[in-house]
Amino acid sequence: MGTVIDWLAAVALVSGALLSLAAGIGVLRFPDVLDRMHAATKPQVLGMLLLLLGLALRLRSAADLGMILLVGVFQLATAPVAAQMIGRAAYRSGRVDRSLLDVDELAGDPPRTGE
């Protein structure tokens, strides 16, 4: 049974590393802020969760599992908020090509001061 779990851990670690690598390449290669934001959040978060899963399968101690769970929860809680803030800041500063947007929900939203 230990060999199967070790193989599953290895597959999760390699898959997570490849997804994180793909996210890094996407951040470097994509031309638009919104595309880069997508590459920095979605595959990176899934890659991080796969890495944490592989690490949890490899370590298997209660203290390590608790810390890994906390890292995963904080990653899931902060990545979408950070992406939303980056997207909003890019939109307000004029760095988003609005012709590429299918729906522009912020077009009528006046810029706020003092935030």
Side-chain angles (χ1 to χ4, degrees):
M1 187 67 171
T3 305
V4 174
I5 292 176
D6 287 340
W7 276 104
L8 288 174
V11 168
L13 287 169
V14 170
S15 300
L18 290 175
L19 272 172
S20 296
L21 176 67
I25 291 171
V27 168
L28 292 175
R29 299 285 302 183
F30 284 160
D32 190 11
V33 172
L34 299 178
D35 293 334
R36 288 179 180 176
M37 181 184 64
H38 174 78
T41 54
K42 295 195 184 206
Q44 187 270 333
V45 169
L46 181 58
M48 173 65 75
L49 291 177
L50 282 172
L51 284 170
L52 292 174
L53 175 67
L55 193 61
L57 289 172
R58 190 77 181 129
L59 295 177
R60 296 183 215 139
S61 73
D64 293 332
L65 292 178
M67 188 62 65
I68 289 169
L69 181 66
L70 280 174
V71 170
V73 167
F74 286 136
Q75 182 72 25
L76 286 173
T78 58
V81 174
Q84 195 270 338
M85 291 288 113
I86 291 169
R88 176 77 56 126
Y91 183 86
R92 287 186 176 174
S93 66
R95 298 198 183 270
V96 173
D97 185 10
R98 293 183 181 175
S99 66
L100 296 175
L101 299 176
D102 291 334
V103 176
D104 190 359
E105 295 176 350
L106 297 176
D109 190 20
R112 297 182 191 131
T113 57
E115 288 186 13

